[in-house]
Amino acid sequence: MPDFAKTLTAWQRRHGRHGLPWQATRDPYRVWLSEVMLQQTQVETVIPYYERFLARFPDVRALADAREEEVLRLWSGLGYYARARNLHRAARNVAGELGGRFPDNAEGLARLPGLGRSSAAAIAAFAFGRREAILDGNVKRVFARCFGIDGFPGERKVEARLWRLAARQLPLRGIGRYTQALMDLGATVCVRGKPRCDACPLASRCVALRDGRIGELPAPRPRRARPQRAVTWLVLMHAGRVLLERRPAPGLWGGLWAFPETGARGLAAFCRRELDCELRGARRLDVLEHQFTHFRLRATPVVVVLRTAPAAAVEAPGRLWLDLADARDAAVPAPVKTL
């Protein structure tokens, strides 16, 4: 499509997003941090986390030297916690094996934990000016609509076609602004629900708009029943403190602190067996639901008040008694923080 990149770049200069905290730098550490945080997360949500991370970890060595628990605590609420663990692993890789220097090309960046092909390409483009194609979810939608690409973009053949298409549109110069233009268009104009076609610089050449297929393209993910997982959370209380357990990694919320899980029955036996203490009373709260990509979690919190101090749990590895105020600020997942 002639002048695709030129049209997008001109639009970005006038109407794109400017002034985002990671845009005024080519520091690969800051670019990398922003790209990892922006994976599956909106810009507005990321900004305060990004700024807090930079205040605490101003460079890759500071992040590499941190304890994983502190990294997870600052990440708490941003979701997809494997990103935080991979971020920490990658920082240690760069600071140690790579001498503090990030790879300056997409191929090298893609070897770092937590970076896929598109994220690595974006970092290479923004930090090093490399002529690399990106293809995140928003960009897939732009290409599928503009060029009329049928099929679910996550399907291997469709995705391969989109990658070839993305590579053909790359400009010879100005790769950073062009890459930002694609991201901006997908995030602010060519959105999933109600695209602003009247404000789109590609409207005159958009196949989906021409053929009345905006609502059809890109094709949705094939529908599958999302499984449901039901758990009981024990909110064990004594003297204004609550018991948290560290989740195993890898796994759901790995490395974070959460409530112990058990069956709804046998609470008294659990307290005697695990904590060597007796419960004074228990109260069931309303179910908390939390949506994940591949399943739905239904957690039933049961507040358990103990008669005596739980001495056995104090020394147990992976368990921690915290004052309620401190527990809210610990490295806990969002539903635990909410409860």
Side-chain angles (χ1 to χ4, degrees), residues 32 102-134 163 170 175:
W32 164 72
F102 281 84
D104 64 359
N105 57 75
E107 184 179 359
L109 287 162
R111 297 193 190 103
L112 295 178
L115 288 185
R117 179 178 175 182
S118 186
S119 295
I123 298 165
F126 287 133
F128 302 108
R130 298 291 186 181
R131 190 170 173 266
E132 295 283 354
I134 65 165
W163 273 114
L170 289 174
I175 188 64

mmCIF file of all heavy atoms in Angstrom, residues 32 102-134 163 170 175:
data_model
loop_
_atom_site.group_PDB
_atom_site.id
_atom_site.type_symbol
_atom_site.label_atom_id
_atom_site.label_comp_id
_atom_site.label_asym_id
_atom_site.label_seq_id
_atom_site.Cartn_x
_atom_site.Cartn_y
_atom_site.Cartn_z
ATOM 1 N N TRP A 32 12.925 -0.603 27.693
ATOM 2 C CA TRP A 32 12.622 -2.008 28.033
ATOM 3 C C TRP A 32 11.607 -2.110 29.163
ATOM 4 O O TRP A 32 10.637 -2.858 29.076
ATOM 5 C CB TRP A 32 13.930 -2.706 28.401
ATOM 6 C CG TRP A 32 13.792 -4.007 29.130
ATOM 7 C CD1 TRP A 32 13.367 -5.197 28.621
ATOM 8 C CD2 TRP A 32 14.105 -4.254 30.503
ATOM 9 N NE1 TRP A 32 13.401 -6.173 29.592
ATOM 10 C CE2 TRP A 32 13.854 -5.619 30.758
ATOM 11 C CE3 TRP A 32 14.583 -3.445 31.543
ATOM 12 C CZ2 TRP A 32 14.058 -6.196 32.013
ATOM 13 C CZ3 TRP A 32 14.796 -4.016 32.793
ATOM 14 C CH2 TRP A 32 14.525 -5.375 33.012
ATOM 15 N N PHE A 102 22.425 -3.641 27.364
ATOM 16 C CA PHE A 102 21.372 -4.367 26.663
ATOM 17 C C PHE A 102 21.809 -4.700 25.246
ATOM 18 O O PHE A 102 22.535 -3.914 24.618
ATOM 19 C CB PHE A 102 20.099 -3.517 26.587
ATOM 20 C CG PHE A 102 19.290 -3.512 27.854
ATOM 21 C CD1 PHE A 102 19.597 -2.634 28.883
ATOM 22 C CD2 PHE A 102 18.218 -4.376 28.021
ATOM 23 C CE1 PHE A 102 18.857 -2.621 30.052
ATOM 24 C CE2 PHE A 102 17.471 -4.375 29.177
ATOM 25 C CZ PHE A 102 17.785 -3.493 30.211
ATOM 26 N N PRO A 103 21.380 -5.846 24.702
ATOM 27 C CA PRO A 103 21.624 -6.114 23.284
ATOM 28 C C PRO A 103 21.029 -4.999 22.436
ATOM 29 O O PRO A 103 19.969 -4.456 22.771
ATOM 30 C CB PRO A 103 20.890 -7.447 23.049
ATOM 31 C CG PRO A 103 20.797 -8.076 24.399
ATOM 32 C CD PRO A 103 20.658 -6.949 25.373
ATOM 33 N N ASP A 104 21.703 -4.652 21.332
ATOM 34 C CA ASP A 104 21.248 -3.517 20.525
ATOM 35 C C ASP A 104 20.464 -3.943 19.294
ATOM 36 O O ASP A 104 20.281 -3.161 18.362
ATOM 37 C CB ASP A 104 22.427 -2.630 20.119
ATOM 38 C CG ASP A 104 23.414 -3.360 19.203
ATOM 39 O OD1 ASP A 104 23.184 -4.554 18.894
ATOM 40 O OD2 ASP A 104 24.418 -2.741 18.807
ATOM 41 N N ASN A 105 19.986 -5.193 19.277
ATOM 42 C CA ASN A 105 19.186 -5.654 18.152
ATOM 43 C C ASN A 105 18.062 -6.553 18.657
ATOM 44 O O ASN A 105 18.116 -7.086 19.777
ATOM 45 C CB ASN A 105 20.061 -6.388 17.140
ATOM 46 C CG ASN A 105 20.801 -7.555 17.758
ATOM 47 O OD1 ASN A 105 20.218 -8.595 18.036
ATOM 48 N ND2 ASN A 105 22.094 -7.381 18.004
ATOM 49 N N ALA A 106 17.055 -6.736 17.817
ATOM 50 C CA ALA A 106 15.862 -7.480 18.227
ATOM 51 C C ALA A 106 16.186 -8.933 18.545
ATOM 52 O O ALA A 106 15.628 -9.510 19.483
ATOM 53 C CB ALA A 106 14.791 -7.397 17.134
ATOM 54 N N GLU A 107 17.078 -9.527 17.776
ATOM 55 C CA GLU A 107 17.418 -10.929 17.997
ATOM 56 C C GLU A 107 18.026 -11.140 19.384
ATOM 57 O O GLU A 107 17.667 -12.058 20.116
ATOM 58 C CB GLU A 107 18.384 -11.411 16.916
ATOM 59 C CG GLU A 107 18.722 -12.899 17.015
ATOM 60 C CD GLU A 107 19.665 -13.342 15.908
ATOM 61 O OE1 GLU A 107 20.026 -12.497 15.064
ATOM 62 O OE2 GLU A 107 20.031 -14.532 15.902
ATOM 63 N N GLY A 108 18.957 -10.266 19.756
ATOM 64 C CA GLY A 108 19.575 -10.372 21.070
ATOM 65 C C GLY A 108 18.607 -10.057 22.192
ATOM 66 O O GLY A 108 18.598 -10.727 23.225
ATOM 67 N N LEU A 109 17.774 -9.051 22.004
ATOM 68 C CA LEU A 109 16.796 -8.685 23.024
ATOM 69 C C LEU A 109 15.785 -9.804 23.258
ATOM 70 O O LEU A 109 15.347 -10.036 24.384
ATOM 71 C CB LEU A 109 16.072 -7.401 22.600
ATOM 72 C CG LEU A 109 16.905 -6.123 22.695
ATOM 73 C CD1 LEU A 109 16.281 -5.012 21.851
ATOM 74 C CD2 LEU A 109 17.033 -5.677 24.152
ATOM 75 N N ALA A 110 15.405 -10.503 22.191
ATOM 76 C CA ALA A 110 14.410 -11.563 22.316
ATOM 77 C C ALA A 110 14.915 -12.733 23.157
ATOM 78 O O ALA A 110 14.106 -13.567 23.596
ATOM 79 C CB ALA A 110 13.999 -12.063 20.931
ATOM 80 N N ARG A 111 16.213 -12.803 23.412
ATOM 81 C CA ARG A 111 16.745 -13.866 24.258
ATOM 82 C C ARG A 111 16.574 -13.561 25.744
ATOM 83 O O ARG A 111 16.762 -14.442 26.584
ATOM 84 C CB ARG A 111 18.239 -14.086 23.960
ATOM 85 C CG ARG A 111 18.528 -14.556 22.542
ATOM 86 C CD ARG A 111 19.965 -15.047 22.422
ATOM 87 N NE ARG A 111 20.314 -15.280 21.017
ATOM 88 C CZ ARG A 111 21.057 -14.470 20.281
ATOM 89 N NH1 ARG A 111 21.524 -13.348 20.812
ATOM 90 N NH2 ARG A 111 21.324 -14.747 19.013
ATOM 91 N N LEU A 112 16.244 -12.322 26.070
ATOM 92 C CA LEU A 112 16.042 -11.969 27.477
ATOM 93 C C LEU A 112 14.713 -12.534 27.970
ATOM 94 O O LEU A 112 13.732 -12.567 27.221
ATOM 95 C CB LEU A 112 16.045 -10.448 27.650
ATOM 96 C CG LEU A 112 17.347 -9.711 27.334
ATOM 97 C CD1 LEU A 112 17.155 -8.213 27.504
ATOM 98 C CD2 LEU A 112 18.475 -10.213 28.237
ATOM 99 N N PRO A 113 14.655 -12.974 29.218
ATOM 100 C CA PRO A 113 13.393 -13.506 29.751
ATOM 101 C C PRO A 113 12.265 -12.484 29.636
ATOM 102 O O PRO A 113 12.444 -11.293 29.920
ATOM 103 C CB PRO A 113 13.730 -13.782 31.229
ATOM 104 C CG PRO A 113 15.213 -13.972 31.252
ATOM 105 C CD PRO A 113 15.758 -13.062 30.196
ATOM 106 N N GLY A 114 11.107 -12.956 29.186
ATOM 107 C CA GLY A 114 9.917 -12.115 29.160
ATOM 108 C C GLY A 114 9.723 -11.282 27.918
ATOM 109 O O GLY A 114 8.749 -10.530 27.840
ATOM 110 N N LEU A 115 10.610 -11.385 26.937
ATOM 111 C CA LEU A 115 10.468 -10.592 25.714
ATOM 112 C C LEU A 115 10.121 -11.501 24.544
ATOM 113 O O LEU A 115 10.863 -12.421 24.219
ATOM 114 C CB LEU A 115 11.752 -9.820 25.398
ATOM 115 C CG LEU A 115 12.088 -8.636 26.288
ATOM 116 C CD1 LEU A 115 13.317 -7.919 25.751
ATOM 117 C CD2 LEU A 115 10.918 -7.661 26.406
ATOM 118 N N GLY A 116 8.995 -11.202 23.909
ATOM 119 C CA GLY A 116 8.641 -11.883 22.679
ATOM 120 C C GLY A 116 9.153 -11.104 21.482
ATOM 121 O O GLY A 116 9.823 -10.072 21.612
ATOM 122 N N ARG A 117 8.801 -11.579 20.317
ATOM 123 C CA ARG A 117 9.315 -10.996 19.079
ATOM 124 C C ARG A 117 8.913 -9.528 18.932
ATOM 125 O O ARG A 117 9.742 -8.683 18.574
ATOM 126 C CB ARG A 117 8.804 -11.803 17.889
ATOM 127 C CG ARG A 117 9.251 -11.294 16.542
ATOM 128 C CD ARG A 117 8.741 -12.193 15.427
ATOM 129 N NE ARG A 117 9.050 -11.665 14.105
ATOM 130 C CZ ARG A 117 8.688 -12.241 12.963
ATOM 131 N NH1 ARG A 117 7.996 -13.382 12.991
ATOM 132 N NH2 ARG A 117 8.995 -11.686 11.795
ATOM 133 N N SER A 118 7.643 -9.216 19.215
ATOM 134 C CA SER A 118 7.169 -7.842 19.010
ATOM 135 C C SER A 118 7.774 -6.880 20.028
ATOM 136 O O SER A 118 8.202 -5.779 19.676
ATOM 137 C CB SER A 118 5.641 -7.796 19.080
ATOM 138 O OG SER A 118 5.167 -6.502 18.757
ATOM 139 N N SER A 119 7.818 -7.275 21.302
ATOM 140 C CA SER A 119 8.397 -6.400 22.325
ATOM 141 C C SER A 119 9.875 -6.148 22.048
ATOM 142 O O SER A 119 10.357 -5.014 22.189
ATOM 143 C CB SER A 119 8.221 -7.020 23.710
ATOM 144 O OG SER A 119 6.863 -7.102 24.068
ATOM 145 N N ALA A 120 10.593 -7.193 21.669
ATOM 146 C CA ALA A 120 12.018 -7.026 21.361
ATOM 147 C C ALA A 120 12.207 -6.083 20.180
ATOM 148 O O ALA A 120 13.111 -5.231 20.178
ATOM 149 C CB ALA A 120 12.643 -8.390 21.058
ATOM 150 N N ALA A 121 11.352 -6.195 19.167
ATOM 151 C CA ALA A 121 11.446 -5.319 18.001
ATOM 152 C C ALA A 121 11.162 -3.870 18.383
ATOM 153 O O ALA A 121 11.827 -2.942 17.892
ATOM 154 C CB ALA A 121 10.480 -5.779 16.921
ATOM 155 N N ALA A 122 10.167 -3.655 19.258
ATOM 156 C CA ALA A 122 9.832 -2.297 19.677
ATOM 157 C C ALA A 122 11.002 -1.654 20.423
ATOM 158 O O ALA A 122 11.337 -0.484 20.195
ATOM 159 C CB ALA A 122 8.588 -2.315 20.558
ATOM 160 N N ILE A 123 11.641 -2.404 21.313
ATOM 161 C CA ILE A 123 12.792 -1.870 22.052
ATOM 162 C C ILE A 123 13.938 -1.560 21.095
ATOM 163 O O ILE A 123 14.585 -0.512 21.196
ATOM 164 C CB ILE A 123 13.232 -2.875 23.137
ATOM 165 C CG1 ILE A 123 12.113 -3.087 24.149
ATOM 166 C CG2 ILE A 123 14.489 -2.371 23.853
ATOM 167 C CD1 ILE A 123 12.315 -4.297 25.037
ATOM 168 N N ALA A 124 14.170 -2.459 20.146
ATOM 169 C CA ALA A 124 15.242 -2.233 19.171
ATOM 170 C C ALA A 124 14.971 -0.983 18.345
ATOM 171 O O ALA A 124 15.892 -0.219 18.031
ATOM 172 C CB ALA A 124 15.380 -3.451 18.259
ATOM 173 N N ALA A 125 13.710 -0.761 17.992
ATOM 174 C CA ALA A 125 13.354 0.419 17.198
ATOM 175 C C ALA A 125 13.496 1.703 18.004
ATOM 176 O O ALA A 125 14.109 2.675 17.549
ATOM 177 C CB ALA A 125 11.929 0.274 16.669
ATOM 178 N N PHE A 126 12.919 1.713 19.217
ATOM 179 C CA PHE A 126 12.901 2.947 20.024
ATOM 180 C C PHE A 126 14.274 3.284 20.599
ATOM 181 O O PHE A 126 14.660 4.460 20.641
ATOM 182 C CB PHE A 126 11.900 2.809 21.165
ATOM 183 C CG PHE A 126 10.461 2.870 20.730
ATOM 184 C CD1 PHE A 126 9.544 1.934 21.181
ATOM 185 C CD2 PHE A 126 10.005 3.863 19.877
ATOM 186 C CE1 PHE A 126 8.215 1.984 20.799
ATOM 187 C CE2 PHE A 126 8.685 3.930 19.476
ATOM 188 C CZ PHE A 126 7.782 2.986 19.935
ATOM 189 N N ALA A 127 15.001 2.278 21.075
ATOM 190 C CA ALA A 127 16.268 2.553 21.759
ATOM 191 C C ALA A 127 17.456 2.614 20.802
ATOM 192 O O ALA A 127 18.405 3.361 21.048
ATOM 193 C CB ALA A 127 16.523 1.486 22.835
ATOM 194 N N PHE A 128 17.401 1.837 19.711
ATOM 195 C CA PHE A 128 18.583 1.721 18.848
ATOM 196 C C PHE A 128 18.313 2.077 17.388
ATOM 197 O O PHE A 128 19.217 1.985 16.555
ATOM 198 C CB PHE A 128 19.139 0.291 18.928
ATOM 199 C CG PHE A 128 19.499 -0.120 20.333
ATOM 200 C CD1 PHE A 128 18.721 -1.044 21.017
ATOM 201 C CD2 PHE A 128 20.597 0.429 20.976
ATOM 202 C CE1 PHE A 128 19.043 -1.435 22.316
ATOM 203 C CE2 PHE A 128 20.930 0.047 22.270
ATOM 204 C CZ PHE A 128 20.150 -0.885 22.943
ATOM 205 N N GLY A 129 17.078 2.478 17.066
ATOM 206 C CA GLY A 129 16.768 2.876 15.701
ATOM 207 C C GLY A 129 16.786 1.740 14.705
ATOM 208 O O GLY A 129 16.945 1.981 13.498
ATOM 209 N N ARG A 130 16.618 0.512 15.174
ATOM 210 C CA ARG A 130 16.640 -0.643 14.278
ATOM 211 C C ARG A 130 15.354 -0.717 13.461
ATOM 212 O O ARG A 130 14.270 -0.458 13.964
ATOM 213 C CB ARG A 130 16.805 -1.935 15.078
ATOM 214 C CG ARG A 130 18.100 -2.021 15.862
ATOM 215 C CD ARG A 130 19.289 -2.153 14.944
ATOM 216 N NE ARG A 130 20.530 -2.385 15.691
ATOM 217 C CZ ARG A 130 21.712 -2.521 15.148
ATOM 218 N NH1 ARG A 130 21.831 -2.447 13.822
ATOM 219 N NH2 ARG A 130 22.789 -2.733 15.880
ATOM 220 N N ARG A 131 15.460 -1.094 12.225
ATOM 221 C CA ARG A 131 14.315 -1.179 11.317
ATOM 222 C C ARG A 131 13.650 -2.544 11.499
ATOM 223 O O ARG A 131 13.928 -3.490 10.772
ATOM 224 C CB ARG A 131 14.780 -0.965 9.878
ATOM 225 C CG ARG A 131 13.675 -0.801 8.856
ATOM 226 C CD ARG A 131 14.256 -0.360 7.521
ATOM 227 N NE ARG A 131 13.226 -0.347 6.487
ATOM 228 C CZ ARG A 131 12.976 -1.359 5.663
ATOM 229 N NH1 ARG A 131 13.705 -2.480 5.762
ATOM 230 N NH2 ARG A 131 12.023 -1.274 4.754
ATOM 231 N N GLU A 132 12.787 -2.626 12.495
ATOM 232 C CA GLU A 132 12.139 -3.875 12.869
ATOM 233 C C GLU A 132 10.624 -3.685 12.907
ATOM 234 O O GLU A 132 10.134 -2.631 13.308
ATOM 235 C CB GLU A 132 12.615 -4.337 14.246
ATOM 236 C CG GLU A 132 14.088 -4.701 14.326
ATOM 237 C CD GLU A 132 14.395 -6.053 13.718
ATOM 238 O OE1 GLU A 132 13.447 -6.771 13.332
ATOM 239 O OE2 GLU A 132 15.589 -6.398 13.623
ATOM 240 N N ALA A 133 9.886 -4.714 12.503
ATOM 241 C CA ALA A 133 8.418 -4.677 12.525
ATOM 242 C C ALA A 133 7.904 -5.131 13.879
ATOM 243 O O ALA A 133 8.471 -6.023 14.510
ATOM 244 C CB ALA A 133 7.853 -5.585 11.433
ATOM 245 N N ILE A 134 6.832 -4.489 14.344
ATOM 246 C CA ILE A 134 6.160 -4.915 15.571
ATOM 247 C C ILE A 134 4.794 -5.484 15.209
ATOM 248 O O ILE A 134 4.249 -5.200 14.136
ATOM 249 C CB ILE A 134 5.997 -3.754 16.577
ATOM 250 C CG1 ILE A 134 5.052 -2.675 16.015
ATOM 251 C CG2 ILE A 134 7.342 -3.162 16.949
ATOM 252 C CD1 ILE A 134 4.553 -1.698 17.057
ATOM 253 N N TRP A 163 2.783 -10.777 9.936
ATOM 254 C CA TRP A 163 4.190 -10.417 10.095
ATOM 255 C C TRP A 163 4.811 -10.020 8.753
ATOM 256 O O TRP A 163 5.553 -9.036 8.674
ATOM 257 C CB TRP A 163 4.979 -11.581 10.694
ATOM 258 C CG TRP A 163 4.987 -11.640 12.190
ATOM 259 C CD1 TRP A 163 4.438 -12.581 12.994
ATOM 260 C CD2 TRP A 163 5.604 -10.689 13.080
ATOM 261 N NE1 TRP A 163 4.658 -12.293 14.317
ATOM 262 C CE2 TRP A 163 5.374 -11.135 14.395
ATOM 263 C CE3 TRP A 163 6.322 -9.510 12.883
ATOM 264 C CZ2 TRP A 163 5.842 -10.439 15.513
ATOM 265 C CZ3 TRP A 163 6.788 -8.811 13.998
ATOM 266 C CH2 TRP A 163 6.547 -9.283 15.292
ATOM 267 N N LEU A 170 7.501 -1.250 6.468
ATOM 268 C CA LEU A 170 8.506 -0.504 7.228
ATOM 269 C C LEU A 170 9.116 0.617 6.398
ATOM 270 O O LEU A 170 9.502 0.403 5.244
ATOM 271 C CB LEU A 170 9.619 -1.444 7.691
ATOM 272 C CG LEU A 170 9.265 -2.446 8.797
ATOM 273 C CD1 LEU A 170 10.436 -3.387 9.028
ATOM 274 C CD2 LEU A 170 8.887 -1.723 10.077
ATOM 275 N N ILE A 175 12.048 5.111 11.964
ATOM 276 C CA ILE A 175 11.389 3.915 12.463
ATOM 277 C C ILE A 175 10.741 4.136 13.830
ATOM 278 O O ILE A 175 9.679 3.565 14.134
ATOM 279 C CB ILE A 175 12.386 2.727 12.518
ATOM 280 C CG1 ILE A 175 11.658 1.420 12.843
ATOM 281 C CG2 ILE A 175 13.498 3.000 13.520
ATOM 282 C CD1 ILE A 175 10.685 0.975 11.814
#
